[in-house]
PDB file of all heavy atoms in Angstrom:
ATOM      1  N   THR D1024       7.929   0.398  14.716  1.00 97.00           N
ATOM      2  CA  THR D1024       7.751  -0.361  13.478  1.00 97.00           C
ATOM      3  C   THR D1024       8.198  -1.802  13.681  1.00 97.00           C
ATOM      4  O   THR D1024       9.305  -2.055  14.153  1.00 97.00           O
ATOM      5  CB  THR D1024       8.522   0.286  12.314  1.00 97.00           C
ATOM      6  OG1 THR D1024       8.002   1.602  12.115  1.00 97.00           O
ATOM      7  CG2 THR D1024       8.375  -0.515  11.040  1.00 97.00           C
ATOM      8  N   VAL D1025       7.310  -2.719  13.311  1.00 98.00           N
ATOM      9  CA  VAL D1025       7.546  -4.148  13.486  1.00 98.00           C
ATOM     10  C   VAL D1025       6.943  -4.882  12.298  1.00 98.00           C
ATOM     11  O   VAL D1025       5.870  -4.510  11.816  1.00 98.00           O
ATOM     12  CB  VAL D1025       6.893  -4.657  14.796  1.00 98.00           C
ATOM     13  CG1 VAL D1025       7.036  -6.159  14.953  1.00 98.00           C
ATOM     14  CG2 VAL D1025       7.482  -3.944  16.001  1.00 98.00           C
ATOM     15  N   TRP D1026       7.632  -5.924  11.831  1.00 98.00           N
ATOM     16  CA  TRP D1026       7.115  -6.817  10.796  1.00 98.00           C
ATOM     17  C   TRP D1026       6.881  -8.183  11.426  1.00 98.00           C
ATOM     18  O   TRP D1026       7.679  -8.641  12.241  1.00 98.00           O
ATOM     19  CB  TRP D1026       8.099  -6.974   9.647  1.00 98.00           C
ATOM     20  CG  TRP D1026       8.285  -5.747   8.827  1.00 98.00           C
ATOM     21  CD1 TRP D1026       7.599  -5.392   7.704  1.00 98.00           C
ATOM     22  CD2 TRP D1026       9.228  -4.697   9.045  1.00 98.00           C
ATOM     23  NE1 TRP D1026       8.047  -4.195   7.219  1.00 98.00           N
ATOM     24  CE2 TRP D1026       9.053  -3.740   8.032  1.00 98.00           C
ATOM     25  CE3 TRP D1026      10.206  -4.453  10.019  1.00 98.00           C
ATOM     26  CZ2 TRP D1026       9.805  -2.587   7.941  1.00 98.00           C
ATOM     27  CZ3 TRP D1026      10.958  -3.305   9.935  1.00 98.00           C
ATOM     28  CH2 TRP D1026      10.756  -2.385   8.910  1.00 98.00           C
ATOM     29  N   VAL D1027       5.804  -8.848  11.008  1.00 98.00           N
ATOM     30  CA  VAL D1027       5.477 -10.184  11.501  1.00 98.00           C
ATOM     31  C   VAL D1027       5.281 -11.104  10.299  1.00 98.00           C
ATOM     32  O   VAL D1027       4.487 -10.794   9.398  1.00 98.00           O
ATOM     33  CB  VAL D1027       4.201 -10.155  12.365  1.00 98.00           C
ATOM     34  CG1 VAL D1027       3.786 -11.564  12.762  1.00 98.00           C
ATOM     35  CG2 VAL D1027       4.413  -9.298  13.608  1.00 98.00           C
ATOM     36  N   ALA D1028       6.041 -12.207  10.274  1.00 98.00           N
ATOM     37  CA  ALA D1028       5.926 -13.225   9.224  1.00 98.00           C
ATOM     38  C   ALA D1028       5.194 -14.432   9.790  1.00 98.00           C
ATOM     39  O   ALA D1028       5.560 -14.940  10.854  1.00 98.00           O
ATOM     40  CB  ALA D1028       7.314 -13.638   8.737  1.00 98.00           C
ATOM     41  N   VAL D1029       4.160 -14.875   9.065  1.00 98.00           N
ATOM     42  CA  VAL D1029       3.313 -15.972   9.537  1.00 98.00           C
ATOM     43  C   VAL D1029       3.233 -17.060   8.470  1.00 98.00           C
ATOM     44  O   VAL D1029       3.087 -16.775   7.280  1.00 98.00           O
ATOM     45  CB  VAL D1029       1.894 -15.454   9.869  1.00 98.00           C
ATOM     46  CG1 VAL D1029       0.998 -16.591  10.332  1.00 98.00           C
ATOM     47  CG2 VAL D1029       1.966 -14.360  10.919  1.00 98.00           C
ATOM     48  N   ASP D1030       3.329 -18.305   8.914  1.00 97.00           N
ATOM     49  CA  ASP D1030       3.258 -19.478   8.043  1.00 97.00           C
ATOM     50  C   ASP D1030       2.001 -20.274   8.383  1.00 97.00           C
ATOM     51  O   ASP D1030       1.762 -20.578   9.549  1.00 97.00           O
ATOM     52  CB  ASP D1030       4.506 -20.334   8.251  1.00 97.00           C
ATOM     53  CG  ASP D1030       4.395 -21.717   7.651  1.00 97.00           C
ATOM     54  OD1 ASP D1030       3.734 -21.866   6.602  1.00 97.00           O
ATOM     55  OD2 ASP D1030       4.962 -22.660   8.232  1.00 97.00           O
ATOM     56  N   ALA D1031       1.213 -20.611   7.359  1.00 96.00           N
ATOM     57  CA  ALA D1031      -0.011 -21.387   7.586  1.00 96.00           C
ATOM     58  C   ALA D1031      -0.026 -22.649   6.727  1.00 96.00           C
ATOM     59  O   ALA D1031      -1.086 -23.209   6.477  1.00 96.00           O
ATOM     60  CB  ALA D1031      -1.234 -20.531   7.304  1.00 96.00           C
ATOM     61  N   HIS D1032       1.149 -23.111   6.276  1.00 94.00           N
ATOM     62  CA  HIS D1032       1.153 -24.271   5.371  1.00 94.00           C
ATOM     63  C   HIS D1032       0.642 -25.543   6.049  1.00 94.00           C
ATOM     64  O   HIS D1032       0.116 -26.425   5.394  1.00 94.00           O
ATOM     65  CB  HIS D1032       2.542 -24.479   4.744  1.00 94.00           C
ATOM     66  CG  HIS D1032       3.490 -25.290   5.549  1.00 94.00           C
ATOM     67  ND1 HIS D1032       4.318 -24.741   6.505  1.00 94.00           N
ATOM     68  CD2 HIS D1032       3.742 -26.618   5.536  1.00 94.00           C
ATOM     69  CE1 HIS D1032       5.044 -25.700   7.048  1.00 94.00           C
ATOM     70  NE2 HIS D1032       4.716 -26.844   6.471  1.00 94.00           N
ATOM     71  N   ARG D1033       0.756 -25.635   7.372  1.00 92.00           N
ATOM     72  CA  ARG D1033       0.232 -26.805   8.081  1.00 92.00           C
ATOM     73  C   ARG D1033      -1.294 -26.847   8.062  1.00 92.00           C
ATOM     74  O   ARG D1033      -1.907 -27.869   8.368  1.00 92.00           O
ATOM     75  CB  ARG D1033       0.738 -26.825   9.519  1.00 92.00           C
ATOM     76  CG  ARG D1033       2.212 -27.101   9.625  1.00 92.00           C
ATOM     77  CD  ARG D1033       2.688 -27.004  11.077  1.00 92.00           C
ATOM     78  NE  ARG D1033       4.121 -26.913  11.141  1.00 92.00           N
ATOM     79  CZ  ARG D1033       4.807 -25.779  11.089  1.00 92.00           C
ATOM     80  NH1 ARG D1033       4.188 -24.627  10.963  1.00 92.00           N
ATOM     81  NH2 ARG D1033       6.122 -25.781  11.147  1.00 92.00           N
ATOM     82  N   LEU D1034      -1.900 -25.720   7.689  1.00 94.00           N
ATOM     83  CA  LEU D1034      -3.347 -25.625   7.561  1.00 94.00           C
ATOM     84  C   LEU D1034      -3.771 -25.766   6.094  1.00 94.00           C
ATOM     85  O   LEU D1034      -4.894 -25.427   5.737  1.00 94.00           O
ATOM     86  CB  LEU D1034      -3.829 -24.278   8.112  1.00 94.00           C
ATOM     87  CG  LEU D1034      -3.411 -23.973   9.550  1.00 94.00           C
ATOM     88  CD1 LEU D1034      -3.722 -22.531   9.897  1.00 94.00           C
ATOM     89  CD2 LEU D1034      -4.099 -24.931  10.501  1.00 94.00           C
ATOM     90  N   ASP D1035      -2.823 -26.206   5.255  1.00 95.00           N
ATOM     91  CA  ASP D1035      -3.040 -26.359   3.820  1.00 95.00           C
ATOM     92  C   ASP D1035      -3.248 -25.009   3.139  1.00 95.00           C
ATOM     93  O   ASP D1035      -3.996 -24.891   2.173  1.00 95.00           O
ATOM     94  CB  ASP D1035      -4.214 -27.302   3.551  1.00 95.00           C
ATOM     95  CG  ASP D1035      -4.046 -28.061   2.250  1.00 95.00           C
ATOM     96  OD1 ASP D1035      -2.901 -28.123   1.750  1.00 95.00           O
ATOM     97  OD2 ASP D1035      -5.044 -28.574   1.726  1.00 95.00           O
ATOM     98  N   ASP D1036      -2.591 -23.982   3.673  1.00 94.00           N
ATOM     99  CA  ASP D1036      -2.659 -22.623   3.147  1.00 94.00           C
ATOM    100  C   ASP D1036      -1.236 -22.218   2.780  1.00 94.00           C
ATOM    101  O   ASP D1036      -0.404 -21.983   3.664  1.00 94.00           O
ATOM    102  CB  ASP D1036      -3.252 -21.693   4.211  1.00 94.00           C
ATOM    103  CG  ASP D1036      -3.398 -20.267   3.733  1.00 94.00           C
ATOM    104  OD1 ASP D1036      -2.924 -19.924   2.626  1.00 94.00           O
ATOM    105  OD2 ASP D1036      -3.988 -19.468   4.492  1.00 94.00           O
ATOM    106  N   LEU D1037      -0.933 -22.151   1.496  1.00 96.00           N
ATOM    107  CA  LEU D1037       0.432 -21.878   1.041  1.00 96.00           C
ATOM    108  C   LEU D1037       0.716 -20.395   0.823  1.00 96.00           C
ATOM    109  O   LEU D1037       1.799 -20.042   0.365  1.00 96.00           O
ATOM    110  CB  LEU D1037       0.711 -22.651  -0.250  1.00 96.00           C
ATOM    111  CG  LEU D1037       0.606 -24.167  -0.132  1.00 96.00           C
ATOM    112  CD1 LEU D1037       0.930 -24.828  -1.469  1.00 96.00           C
ATOM    113  CD2 LEU D1037       1.513 -24.701   0.964  1.00 96.00           C
ATOM    114  N   ARG D1038      -0.214 -19.528   1.161  1.00 97.00           N
ATOM    115  CA  ARG D1038       0.004 -18.094   0.976  1.00 97.00           C
ATOM    116  C   ARG D1038       0.994 -17.555   2.010  1.00 97.00           C
ATOM    117  O   ARG D1038       1.039 -18.036   3.147  1.00 97.00           O
ATOM    118  CB  ARG D1038      -1.310 -17.332   1.097  1.00 97.00           C
ATOM    119  CG  ARG D1038      -2.274 -17.604  -0.050  1.00 97.00           C
ATOM    120  CD  ARG D1038      -3.589 -16.964   0.196  1.00 97.00           C
ATOM    121  NE  ARG D1038      -4.206 -17.637   1.344  1.00 97.00           N
ATOM    122  CZ  ARG D1038      -5.384 -17.342   1.836  1.00 97.00           C
ATOM    123  NH1 ARG D1038      -6.093 -16.369   1.322  1.00 97.00           N
ATOM    124  NH2 ARG D1038      -5.877 -18.008   2.857  1.00 97.00           N
ATOM    125  N   PRO D1039       1.761 -16.542   1.633  1.00 97.00           N
ATOM    126  CA  PRO D1039       2.617 -15.867   2.621  1.00 97.00           C
ATOM    127  C   PRO D1039       1.781 -14.853   3.401  1.00 97.00           C
ATOM    128  O   PRO D1039       0.813 -14.307   2.872  1.00 97.00           O
ATOM    129  CB  PRO D1039       3.641 -15.145   1.743  1.00 97.00           C
ATOM    130  CG  PRO D1039       2.882 -14.816   0.496  1.00 97.00           C
ATOM    131  CD  PRO D1039       1.921 -15.968   0.293  1.00 97.00           C
ATOM    132  N   TYR D1040       2.138 -14.647   4.642  1.00 97.00           N
ATOM    133  CA  TYR D1040       1.465 -13.636   5.451  1.00 97.00           C
ATOM    134  C   TYR D1040       2.530 -12.728   6.050  1.00 97.00           C
ATOM    135  O   TYR D1040       3.400 -13.187   6.795  1.00 97.00           O
ATOM    136  CB  TYR D1040       0.633 -14.278   6.565  1.00 97.00           C
ATOM    137  CG  TYR D1040      -0.574 -15.004   6.039  1.00 97.00           C
ATOM    138  CD1 TYR D1040      -0.516 -16.365   5.769  1.00 97.00           C
ATOM    139  CD2 TYR D1040      -1.757 -14.322   5.786  1.00 97.00           C
ATOM    140  CE1 TYR D1040      -1.626 -17.039   5.269  1.00 97.00           C
ATOM    141  CE2 TYR D1040      -2.870 -14.983   5.288  1.00 97.00           C
ATOM    142  CZ  TYR D1040      -2.794 -16.346   5.031  1.00 97.00           C
ATOM    143  OH  TYR D1040      -3.886 -17.002   4.537  1.00 97.00           O
ATOM    144  N   LEU D1041       2.462 -11.447   5.701  1.00 98.00           N
ATOM    145  CA  LEU D1041       3.412 -10.459   6.201  1.00 98.00           C
ATOM    146  C   LEU D1041       2.631  -9.211   6.611  1.00 98.00           C
ATOM    147  O   LEU D1041       1.871  -8.652   5.814  1.00 98.00           O
ATOM    148  CB  LEU D1041       4.447 -10.105   5.129  1.00 98.00           C
ATOM    149  CG  LEU D1041       5.475  -9.050   5.515  1.00 98.00           C
ATOM    150  CD1 LEU D1041       6.329  -9.502   6.702  1.00 98.00           C
ATOM    151  CD2 LEU D1041       6.359  -8.713   4.325  1.00 98.00           C
ATOM    152  N   PHE D1042       2.847  -8.794   7.856  1.00 98.00           N
ATOM    153  CA  PHE D1042       2.168  -7.626   8.395  1.00 98.00           C
ATOM    154  C   PHE D1042       3.209  -6.653   8.948  1.00 98.00           C
ATOM    155  O   PHE D1042       4.245  -7.066   9.462  1.00 98.00           O
ATOM    156  CB  PHE D1042       1.212  -8.031   9.520  1.00 98.00           C
ATOM    157  CG  PHE D1042       0.145  -8.985   9.079  1.00 98.00           C
ATOM    158  CD1 PHE D1042       0.350 -10.354   9.150  1.00 98.00           C
ATOM    159  CD2 PHE D1042      -1.053  -8.510   8.585  1.00 98.00           C
ATOM    160  CE1 PHE D1042      -0.632 -11.241   8.736  1.00 98.00           C
ATOM    161  CE2 PHE D1042      -2.043  -9.392   8.165  1.00 98.00           C
ATOM    162  CZ  PHE D1042      -1.834 -10.755   8.248  1.00 98.00           C
ATOM    163  N   ARG D1043       2.871  -5.333   8.843  1.00 98.00           N
ATOM    164  CA  ARG D1043       3.748  -4.294   9.394  1.00 98.00           C
ATOM    165  C   ARG D1043       2.912  -3.318  10.202  1.00 98.00           C
ATOM    166  O   ARG D1043       1.821  -2.928   9.812  1.00 98.00           O
ATOM    167  CB  ARG D1043       4.447  -3.541   8.263  1.00 98.00           C
ATOM    168  CG  ARG D1043       5.360  -2.416   8.789  1.00 98.00           C
ATOM    169  CD  ARG D1043       5.954  -1.562   7.685  1.00 98.00           C
ATOM    170  NE  ARG D1043       4.894  -0.879   6.977  1.00 98.00           N
ATOM    171  CZ  ARG D1043       4.906  -0.649   5.669  1.00 98.00           C
ATOM    172  NH1 ARG D1043       5.900  -1.029   4.916  1.00 98.00           N
ATOM    173  NH2 ARG D1043       3.893  -0.017   5.088  1.00 98.00           N
ATOM    174  N   THR D1044       3.458  -2.939  11.345  1.00 98.00           N
ATOM    175  CA  THR D1044       2.862  -1.866  12.139  1.00 98.00           C
ATOM    176  C   THR D1044       3.891  -0.753  12.277  1.00 98.00           C
ATOM    177  O   THR D1044       5.095  -1.007  12.304  1.00 98.00           O
ATOM    178  CB  THR D1044       2.429  -2.356  13.542  1.00 98.00           C
ATOM    179  OG1 THR D1044       1.828  -1.252  14.235  1.00 98.00           O
ATOM    180  CG2 THR D1044       3.587  -2.898  14.353  1.00 98.00           C
ATOM    181  N   GLY D1045       3.409   0.465  12.382  1.00 96.00           N
ATOM    182  CA  GLY D1045       4.288   1.598  12.633  1.00 96.00           C
ATOM    183  C   GLY D1045       3.951   2.284  13.938  1.00 96.00           C
ATOM    184  O   GLY D1045       4.543   3.300  14.291  1.00 96.00           O
ATOM    185  N   ASP D1046       2.991   1.693  14.675  1.00 96.00           N
ATOM    186  CA  ASP D1046       2.527   2.316  15.915  1.00 96.00           C
ATOM    187  C   ASP D1046       2.418   1.305  17.059  1.00 96.00           C
ATOM    188  O   ASP D1046       1.446   1.307  17.809  1.00 96.00           O
ATOM    189  CB  ASP D1046       1.199   3.038  15.689  1.00 96.00           C
ATOM    190  CG  ASP D1046       0.105   2.132  15.130  1.00 96.00           C
ATOM    191  OD1 ASP D1046       0.279   0.888  15.142  1.00 96.00           O
ATOM    192  OD2 ASP D1046      -0.917   2.657  14.669  1.00 96.00           O
ATOM    193  N   GLN D1047       3.417   0.442  17.168  1.00 94.00           N
ATOM    194  CA  GLN D1047       3.506  -0.540  18.261  1.00 94.00           C
ATOM    195  C   GLN D1047       2.364  -1.550  18.265  1.00 94.00           C
ATOM    196  O   GLN D1047       2.018  -2.091  19.305  1.00 94.00           O
ATOM    197  CB  GLN D1047       3.569   0.161  19.621  1.00 94.00           C
ATOM    198  CG  GLN D1047       4.785   1.002  19.830  1.00 94.00           C
ATOM    199  CD  GLN D1047       5.924   0.238  20.473  1.00 94.00           C
ATOM    200  OE1 GLN D1047       5.823  -0.917  20.837  1.00 94.00           O
ATOM    201  NE2 GLN D1047       7.047   0.915  20.613  1.00 94.00           N
ATOM    202  N   GLY D1048       1.736  -1.804  17.110  1.00 96.00           N
ATOM    203  CA  GLY D1048       0.712  -2.826  17.035  1.00 96.00           C
ATOM    204  C   GLY D1048      -0.716  -2.333  17.158  1.00 96.00           C
ATOM    205  O   GLY D1048      -1.638  -3.135  17.154  1.00 96.00           O
ATOM    206  N   THR D1049      -0.912  -1.027  17.237  1.00 96.00           N
ATOM    207  CA  THR D1049      -2.276  -0.499  17.289  1.00 96.00           C
ATOM    208  C   THR D1049      -2.985  -0.741  15.960  1.00 96.00           C
ATOM    209  O   THR D1049      -4.137  -1.165  15.928  1.00 96.00           O
ATOM    210  CB  THR D1049      -2.274   1.004  17.635  1.00 96.00           C
ATOM    211  OG1 THR D1049      -1.599   1.178  18.891  1.00 96.00           O
ATOM    212  CG2 THR D1049      -3.683   1.551  17.745  1.00 96.00           C
ATOM    213  N   THR D1050      -2.306  -0.456  14.855  1.00 97.00           N
ATOM    214  CA  THR D1050      -2.835  -0.734  13.515  1.00 97.00           C
ATOM    215  C   THR D1050      -1.792  -1.517  12.731  1.00 97.00           C
ATOM    216  O   THR D1050      -0.587  -1.408  12.996  1.00 97.00           O
ATOM    217  CB  THR D1050      -3.179   0.562  12.755  1.00 97.00           C
ATOM    218  OG1 THR D1050      -1.988   1.344  12.612  1.00 97.00           O
ATOM    219  CG2 THR D1050      -4.243   1.362  13.486  1.00 97.00           C
ATOM    220  N   TRP D1051      -2.260  -2.290  11.762  1.00 98.00           N
ATOM    221  CA  TRP D1051      -1.369  -3.128  10.951  1.00 98.00           C
ATOM    222  C   TRP D1051      -1.693  -2.948   9.475  1.00 98.00           C
ATOM    223  O   TRP D1051      -2.844  -2.741   9.108  1.00 98.00           O
ATOM    224  CB  TRP D1051      -1.542  -4.603  11.315  1.00 98.00           C
ATOM    225  CG  TRP D1051      -1.067  -4.962  12.679  1.00 98.00           C
ATOM    226  CD1 TRP D1051      -1.794  -4.910  13.842  1.00 98.00           C
ATOM    227  CD2 TRP D1051       0.230  -5.427  13.054  1.00 98.00           C
ATOM    228  NE1 TRP D1051      -1.028  -5.319  14.913  1.00 98.00           N
ATOM    229  CE2 TRP D1051       0.224  -5.643  14.444  1.00 98.00           C
ATOM    230  CE3 TRP D1051       1.395  -5.687  12.337  1.00 98.00           C
ATOM    231  CZ2 TRP D1051       1.332  -6.103  15.141  1.00 98.00           C
ATOM    232  CZ3 TRP D1051       2.505  -6.148  13.026  1.00 98.00           C
ATOM    233  CH2 TRP D1051       2.478  -6.351  14.410  1.00 98.00           C
TER     234      TRP D1051
END
Side-chain angles (χ1 to χ4, degrees):
T1024 299
V1025 176
W1026 291 268
V1027 174
V1029 179
D1030 167 33
H1032 86 272
R1033 291 176 195 88
L1034 305 170
D1035 210 18
D1036 182 353
L1037 299 181
R1038 291 173 293 181
Y1040 290 94
L1041 178 62
F1042 300 90
R1043 179 186 63 216
T1044 181
D1046 56 13
Q1047 296 269 357
T1049 303
T1050 61
W1051 292 88

